Amino acid sequence: MPTRHLLLIDPQNDFCDIHGASLPVAGAGADLHRLAALLRDEAADIAALTITLDTHRRLDIAHPGFWQKTDGGTVAPFTPITAAQLRAGEFRPRDAAALPRTQAYLEALEARGRYTLMVWPVHCELGSWGHNLHGELQTAAVAWQLERQRHAEFVLKGMNPWTEHYSALQAEVPDPADAGTQLNHALLQRLDDCDELWIAGQASSHCVKATVEDLVEHLPSRRLDKLVLIRDGMSPVTGFEPQAEDFLARMRAQGLRIATTRELSA
């Protein structure tokens, strides 16, 4: 029997399309319902469970409270901000002393070519309801731990307010002074220590995408065929559907398997 590890990326209330969520992803609630059922049904064959938690503070470089317009006006959620706009004074940090570091961050972010800074609604704030696991998945995770008599591993990401942290493996621009933003070799090794790594969560356009891209680049064994993306266990942020489809196509071309929860529990 192959050893299976289930990696669930950010299955949190704030990303679910449910009442009270601050950054709902259309379809996320149904995704997590299917994943909870998969975890219940396949508990005996899932040897390890890792759950990542997007974890932010109120003041964050990707939250509105960090920013203001030239006239001092508020910056609305879902506003992209480029290094050029910052240089031109179209936007600026509310804390004037933060300008040099912010400018350097945006330039480094854009040099990577993966994302432009996005001002998101405040989400997954530490200590809030939105930071918590989706209720049904939480219940399934507790049942798995009791049945298997082992802990699920929880990985917090995003605590550093100076960098976005989509990937569970490293921040978009790692901070040399903060080990929590740098490539997580211990997590990479744990995820590689299995025959099959099942991957799902939210969102396929951002945190799932970034995590899997980093896995493909850094997996110690280089055995990409062990990575299984659960297609009906992830959804894109509205407006980013093409990015999600491109991601899945690229991963399939690199040898990753794309499967559904029904196929995995067949």
Side-chain angles (χ1 to χ4, degrees), residues 9-29 31-32 54-56 60 62-64 76-79 118-125 128-132 134 157 164-166 201-207 235-240:
I9 298 169
D10 302 356
Q12 294 160 270
N13 285 330
D14 265 347
F15 295 130
C16 294
D17 44 353
I18 57 179
H19 178 72
S22 66
L23 186 46
V25 174
D31 294 337
L32 296 181
D54 209 32
T55 306
H56 299 297
D60 185 285
H63 283 170
F78 303 105
T79 299
M118 175 67 74
V119 178
W120 299 105
V122 175
H123 64 282
C124 298
E125 187 175 5
S128 71
W129 168 87
H131 183 260
N132 293 342
H134 176 269
K157 63 183 184 68
E164 292 152 286
H165 205 143
Y166 295 116
Q202 303 306 325
S204 55
S205 54
H206 287 80
C207 296
S235 296
V237 175
T238 300
F240 290 88

Side-chain angles (χ1 to χ4, degrees), residues 20-234:
S22 66
L23 186 46
V25 174
D31 294 337
L32 296 181
H33 172 79
R34 287 186 287 267
L35 292 171
L38 180 70
L39 183 55
R40 289 193 301 267
D41 295 345
E42 300 301 311
D45 292 331
I46 294 173
L49 174 62
T50 296
I51 300 172
T52 76
L53 297 173
D54 209 32
T55 306
H56 299 297
R57 308 179 193 210
R58 177 60 54 130
L59 295 178
D60 185 285
I61 202 165
H63 283 170
F66 182 92
W67 292 98
Q68 63 183 338
K69 296 180 182 177
T70 304
D71 62 4
T74 60
V75 175
F78 303 105
T79 299
I81 298 178
T82 67
Q85 288 175 309
L86 185 59
R87 282 194 300 272
E90 186 175 342
F91 301 99
R92 63 175 188 261
R94 290 192 174 275
D95 178 1
L99 179 58
R101 185 169 184 175
T102 304
Q103 186 72 59
Y105 171 72
L106 292 187
E107 291 172 357
L109 177 68
E110 291 173 19
R112 287 201 67 194
R114 188 151 73 169
Y115 295 105
T116 297
L117 182 129
M118 175 67 74
V119 178
W120 299 105
V122 175
H123 64 282
C124 298
E125 187 175 5
L126 187 62
S128 71
W129 168 87
H131 183 260
N132 293 342
L133 285 184
H134 176 269
E136 185 178 1
L137 190 61
Q138 165 73 8
T139 299
V142 168
W144 178 88
Q145 291 174 94
L146 292 173
E147 178 176 338
R148 298 304 307 262
Q149 284 295 291
R150 61 189 62 172
H151 294 293
E153 294 289 339
F154 288 89
V155 177
L156 274 61
K157 63 183 184 68
M159 284 289 288
N160 188 310
W162 292 101
T163 178
E164 292 152 286
H165 205 143
Y166 295 116
S167 171
L169 291 166
Q170 62 181 341
E172 289 305 307
V173 179
D175 180 349
D178 182 356
T181 67
Q182 296 163 31
L183 187 63
N184 190 334
H185 292 281
L187 177 58
L188 272 167
Q189 193 59 59
R190 288 202 305 272
L191 296 176
D192 201 16
D193 189 22
C194 63
D195 297 313
E196 291 182 355
L197 178 60
W198 294 357
I199 306 168
Q202 303 306 325
S204 55
S205 54
H206 287 80
C207 296
V208 174
K209 171 180 174 291
T211 300
V212 174
E213 288 171 344
D214 281 347
L215 275 169
V216 167
E217 183 175 355
H218 298 290
L219 195 70
S221 71
R222 307 305 304 153
R223 278 197 50 217
L224 302 185
D225 60 317
K226 74 166 64 179
L227 306 183
V228 181
L229 305 184
I230 305 176
R231 183 68 181 88
D232 62 342
M234 60 180 75

